[in-house]
Amino acid sequence: MNYMALIIKRYRYYIALVALIPCMVACQHVKPVASIGVMEEKSATSPAKVVPQPPKRTDRPFTRSELQQALLAEMHIAYAQYAQSLRLYTQLADRTQDLAVLRRTVQIAQFLRDRHTALKYARIWTQQDPYNTEAIAAYGAELLNHKNIKLALHYARKLIELGSTAKFNVIVAIAKDLPIGKRTAIYTEVKVFAKQHSENKNLQLALAMCLADENKIEQAIDIILPLLHGSVGMDALLFYTSLLEQQQEWEKLQVVLNDAVEEYPDHNYIRYRLAKVLVNREEREQAKPHIDHLRMHTAYDLQWKKLCALLYWKNNNHSLAAQLFESMLYAKYDEDLARYYLGQWYEEKDNVTKALNYYSGIQKDSHLALAVAGLIEHLTKSNVLTQHTPKIWDFIVHHPKKRTQLYTTTIESLLRINRPQIALTWVTEFLQHHPQDIELLYLRGSVYEKQGKIELMEKDWRQALTIQFDNPKILNALGYALTVHTQRYDESAVLIRRALQLQPKNAAILDSMGWVLYHLGDLQKSLHYLQRAFSLLADHEIAAHMGEVLWKMKQYQKARSVWSDALTKSPNSNILHKVIFQYAPTLLNDRTQAQRDHNT
C-alpha cells in the first residue's frame, strides 16, 4: 500500500469531515485548471436575456467512498498528477453525473488535451445542464477541435440566444478548410445570423471573414474598420492586417502595425508582424530594435527564440541568428532547422567541414536535401567545388540510408545551375559503386538528355527497365523523350500506356499520353487526356500542350484563354513563351503592353 493510500485509510473520517464543505459546496465555484475553450462565457455589452429555466436539479449527496475519491483526485492535482486525477474523475462522473464533477472532468481533460474525453463529458455536462453557458461553450470548443463545424455553429447560436457570446470567427476560420459545398452552407448560416444580430461584434467579424474568403475584400474591410476599437478589437486588427498583407498594401500595413505597436507595446505578435514587414521591405535598421525587443522579452520561450533567429537571419544579422540557433540546438528544439542554418553560417565562413558536420545531424530528408543542394550551389559559385568534391562524396557514403536522396539532390542541383558535365562525372562515379541503382541510371539518362545524347539516354533508361520493368517514372520519361526527340510515336505510346496502367491518375503521365496522341494525329483523344491532366495539376507545361491542341482544332479563343491564364501564373515559363510566340505572338505583345500600363 502506497503512502498516500495509508494516509487516507488512517485518517479517512477526519479527511472526509474537513473535505465535506469544499467538495459539496465550493466545488461548484472551483477554478478551472486551464482555460482552453474557444468560446467566451459572458458578454460585457449584451445583457443576458430572460430564458425559461428548467426545473431546479438536486444532486444526490456523495457517498463516503465517492467523497474520498473526489478528495484523492484533488490531491493528485495538487501533486501535478493530472492523468491519475482525470481517471478518478471520469469514474466519479460516470457514477454520479454530478455537475461539479462533470465540470472538473472537462477542465482536466482540456488541460491534458485529451480531446476524446473532453468531448464525451462536455456533451454529458451539456445534456445534464442544458442552460449552462459554460457547459455549452466547452462542448462547442470540443466540437470545433473534432471539426464538427455544423454542430458547433448550432451551440454557438444557442449561446447568443442565452445572452452570452461565442467566437464565430473561430468557426469561420476552421470552416475555410471544408469542401466548398459545406463551407458555403456554413457561411450562409453565419451571414443570416449576423444580419439578425447586427449589434454582435464577433458575428460581424465572422461575416467579414466570410466575405473576404469569397474575395469581397472591400466589403470585408468596410465591416472590419468600425470593429478595430471594440470588444473584438485585437481579433479585428489581426484580421485587417492579414487582408492588407493579402492585398500587398505594404505601406498601409506598416502604418497600421506601427500604430498598433504604440497602442499595444507588450503585444509580441503584433510587434513580430511589424518586424517581419520591415525585414521583407529591407528596412533593416527600423526592424532591428523590434527584433531586439522580442528577443529580450521572450528569452525563455523556444518558439519565440526560433522566430527571432529567423528574423535576424533574414535581416542579415547572421551572427546573432547563429547564437539563437545554437541555443535551440542545446535545448533540442527544432534541431533540423537549427542545424540547417548553422551549416549555412559556416558555409558563409567557407568552413565546409563544419557545415557538413551540422548537416550530418539533419533527420528529415527534405531538409537534408535542401542543405546539400545549397552547399553545392554555394561552392560552384565560389569556384571551389572541385577541391571540396571528396568531402561531399565522403558525406554521401556515410549516409547509406539517405544515399538515393543525396544522389538525386546533388545531380539535380548541378543540372539546375547548368553544370551538366560535372553532373555526368559525379553520377558516373556513383554508378561505378552502385551499377544496379535505378535512380542513378535515371539521373544519368536525364543528364544525357540535357546534353542531347538521346541514344545514351535511351540506353540507360532501358537498362533501368530491365532491372525493374514496371517503373512508371522511367516508362513515362522514356516514352515522352522519344515523343519529343524522335518520331517513334507508336513505340512511345506503348511505353506511356504501360506507365498509365500503373498510375492512371498521374498528371505527368496523362500529359505524356495526350502529347503522343497529338503527334499521332488523334486530336480529340489528345485533348481528353490533357484536360484530365490539367484538372489534376494546373501546370504551365500541360497548359502549353493543351493550348496547342486546341489551336490545331481551330478553337483559337479557348487556346488563347488557356495560355493567358497559365502565363499569369507562370510568366517566366520558356515552354509557354515558345508555343505562344509560334501560334499567337500578339498575346505576348498584349500582355507586355498591359504590364507597362499597369506599372505606369
Side-chain angles (χ1 to χ4, degrees):
M1 185 178 295
N2 62 40
Y3 180 73
M4 190 175 291
L6 187 64
I7 293 291
I8 293 288
K9 183 176 180 182
R10 182 171 295 177
Y11 299 105
R12 60 186 181 275
Y13 298 116
Y14 298 105
I15 292 172
L17 182 63
V18 171
L20 183 62
I21 294 174
C23 283
M24 299 303 293
V25 180
C27 188
Q28 298 292 336
H29 306 288
V30 69
K31 292 182 180 179
V33 175
S35 178
I36 298 177
V38 298
M39 297 189 180
E40 299 171 3
E41 183 185 356
K42 292 289 180 185
S43 169
T45 56
S46 303
K49 297 179 182 178
V50 178
V51 294
Q53 295 294 324
K56 189 166 181 65
R57 165 185 166 132
T58 305
D59 288 325
R60 68 168 176 79
F62 282 175
T63 64
R64 181 182 296 168
S65 64
E66 290 167 351
L67 190 61
Q68 289 177 355
Q69 188 169 348
L71 178 61
L72 185 56
E74 287 299 316
M75 290 177 71
H76 276 304
I77 287 178
Y79 285 93
Q81 298 167 345
Y82 301 113
Q84 295 93 319
S85 176
L86 180 61
R87 179 176 55 81
L88 292 172
Y89 264 121
T90 54
Q91 294 171 0
L92 198 58
D94 289 335
R95 284 207 308 271
T96 67
Q97 303 282 288
D98 182 86
L99 298 181
V101 171
L102 287 166
R103 178 176 186 261
R104 194 64 161 161
T105 305
V106 170
Q107 290 168 352
I108 300 168
Q110 287 182 328
F111 177 74
L112 293 175
R113 299 189 183 278
D114 184 341
R115 298 304 179 204
H116 176 75
T117 302
L119 179 68
K120 175 183 175 181
Y121 289 96
R123 181 175 62 247
I124 297 172
W125 184 17
T126 305
Q127 290 168 350
Q128 294 295 322
D129 198 358
Y131 289 84
N132 186 320
T133 55
E134 185 184 1
I136 295 168
Y139 187 36
E142 292 310 316
L143 287 167
L144 285 178
N145 286 324
H146 285 79
K147 302 292 189 271
N148 191 337
I149 313 296
K150 188 74 175 175
L151 196 54
L153 184 57
H154 164 76
Y155 281 99
R157 293 183 64 164
K158 189 172 180 180
L159 280 170
I160 298 296
E161 290 161 1
L162 290 171
S164 187
T165 62
K167 289 202 169 186
F168 286 86
N169 60 316
V170 177
I171 294 175
V172 172
I174 296 175
K176 284 184 179 182
D177 296 328
L178 294 177
I180 188 165
K182 292 182 179 179
R183 182 169 75 243
T184 302
I186 295 292
Y187 285 1
T188 301
E189 199 168 337
V190 168
K191 288 175 184 176
V192 170
F193 205 52
K195 287 180 181 178
Q196 294 172 353
H197 296 269
S198 57
E199 79 290 345
N200 188 296
K201 293 186 176 180
N202 190 273
L203 265 170
Q204 299 310 306
L205 173 59
L207 173 61
M209 292 172 68
C210 294
L211 293 170
D213 197 42
E214 293 168 348
N215 209 28
K216 299 174 182 176
I217 306 297
E218 294 302 324
Q219 293 181 45
I221 290 176
D222 288 343
I223 294 171
I224 283 291
L225 290 176
L227 303 177
L228 291 176
H229 302 287
S231 58
V232 294
M234 183 56 66
D235 287 336
L237 173 65
L238 293 174
F239 181 62
Y240 179 48
T241 55
S242 71
L243 287 181
L244 293 175
E245 189 171 354
Q246 183 182 327
Q247 295 294 100
Q248 296 185 357
E249 296 188 30
W250 304 117
E251 289 186 14
K252 186 183 289 188
L253 175 61
Q254 187 172 329
V255 170
V256 170
L257 286 171
N258 262 318
D259 292 343
V261 166
E262 289 182 13
E263 188 174 353
Y264 307 102
D266 297 324
H267 198 291
N268 289 330
Y269 183 66
I270 290 177
R271 191 179 292 275
Y272 167 74
R273 291 283 301 277
L274 175 58
K276 191 175 177 183
V277 169
L278 291 168
V279 168
N280 289 337
R281 300 190 73 193
E282 297 186 355
E283 297 184 17
R284 296 191 174 93
E285 290 304 316
Q286 292 185 50
K288 189 178 182 303
H290 293 293
I291 308 173
D292 291 341
H293 181 279
L294 289 170
R295 180 170 61 91
M296 288 186 291
H297 287 78
T298 59
Y300 301 104
D301 188 312
L302 289 169
Q303 186 175 3
W304 275 108
K305 186 169 290 191
K306 168 183 165 180
L307 292 174
C308 290
L310 291 170
L311 282 175
Y312 275 129
W313 185 271
K314 199 166 184 181
N315 208 38
N316 278 352
N317 196 334
H318 292 182
S319 57
L320 262 177
Q323 291 176 26
L324 295 176
F325 285 126
E326 283 282 11
S327 62
M328 283 170 57
L329 202 57
Y330 180 78
K332 297 184 177 181
Y333 180 79
D334 207 340
E335 293 178 72
D336 274 6
L337 184 79
R339 288 182 184 281
Y340 172 78
Y341 278 101
L342 287 167
Q344 295 269 293
W345 172 235
Y346 280 101
E347 270 186 41
E348 290 179 2
K349 292 174 170 291
D350 295 322
N351 191 335
V352 175
T353 303
K354 193 89 172 180
L356 286 171
N357 284 341
Y358 277 110
Y359 292 154
S360 66
I362 294 176
Q363 298 300 312
K364 289 183 182 176
D365 288 355
S366 57
H367 289 184
L368 182 60
L370 188 65
V372 173
L375 176 61
I376 288 171
E377 291 184 21
H378 171 73
L379 295 176
T380 303
K381 288 175 183 175
S382 304
N383 294 317
V384 292
L385 179 61
T386 303
Q387 72 183 69
H388 291 294
T389 294
K391 293 179 183 177
I392 297 173
W393 287 5
D394 188 58
F395 178 79
I396 294 173
V397 167
H398 284 86
H399 288 79
K401 292 182 180 178
K402 299 177 180 179
R403 187 189 70 204
T404 300
Q405 174 76 27
L406 289 170
Y407 284 155
T408 304
T409 298
T410 53
I411 302 307
E412 287 180 349
S413 299
L414 290 166
L415 291 175
R416 186 169 53 251
I417 57 179
N418 199 27
R419 298 292 191 279
Q421 194 54 49
I422 298 176
L424 183 60
T425 303
W426 282 33
V427 74
T428 302
E429 175 70 25
F430 296 154
L431 271 166
Q432 287 180 3
H433 299 284
H434 310 285
Q436 299 294 304
D437 192 302
I438 293 172
E439 191 63 30
L440 287 176
L441 286 166
Y442 171 76
L443 286 169
R444 190 166 69 175
S446 300
V447 176
Y448 283 138
E449 185 185 15
K450 273 192 172 293
Q451 293 180 327
K453 300 174 181 178
I454 306 306
E455 288 183 6
L456 292 173
M457 172 208 77
E458 185 177 355
K459 181 183 176 182
D460 272 352
W461 286 352
R462 287 202 182 277
Q463 184 182 341
L465 289 174
T466 61
I467 299 167
Q468 189 181 67
F469 71 93
D470 60 348
N471 187 301
K473 181 169 85 169
I474 297 176
L475 284 167
N476 179 58
L478 181 56
Y480 183 76
L482 292 177
T483 302
V484 173
H485 301 296
T486 75
Q487 294 183 353
R488 294 153 57 186
Y489 302 132
D490 291 323
E491 191 179 345
S492 300
V494 171
L495 291 164
I496 296 168
R497 280 196 183 94
R498 278 173 59 191
L500 198 57
Q501 287 171 354
L502 295 166
Q503 291 186 352
K505 293 185 178 180
N506 185 305
I509 300 174
L510 287 165
D511 173 58
S512 298
M513 192 74 243
W515 198 232
V516 75
L517 286 170
Y518 165 65
H519 283 86
L520 287 167
D522 194 338
L523 299 182
Q524 200 62 49
K525 279 190 178 179
S526 170
L527 182 61
H528 167 73
Y529 280 106
L530 290 169
Q531 286 174 335
R532 283 178 58 192
F534 196 74
S535 69
L536 293 169
L537 178 66
D539 178 74
H540 63 99
E541 187 169 350
I542 301 174
H545 291 164
M546 187 162 62
E548 186 166 345
V549 172
L550 286 166
W551 193 274
K552 291 292 184 181
M553 295 173 76
K554 299 185 179 180
Q555 298 183 30
Y556 304 124
Q557 194 56 43
K558 284 186 179 179
R560 290 174 67 92
S561 177
V562 168
W563 287 332
S564 181
D565 290 346
L567 206 55
T568 301
K569 295 176 183 175
S570 305
N572 300 317
S573 168
N574 289 331
I575 191 170
L576 271 175
H577 279 267
K578 185 177 178 181
V579 73
I580 294 170
F581 184 77
Q582 182 179 352
Y583 293 104
T586 55
L587 181 61
L588 292 174
N589 296 335
D590 293 345
R591 290 186 64 83
T592 304
Q593 186 59 46
Q595 186 64 41
R596 285 174 185 162
D597 293 343
H598 176 74
N599 293 338
T600 303

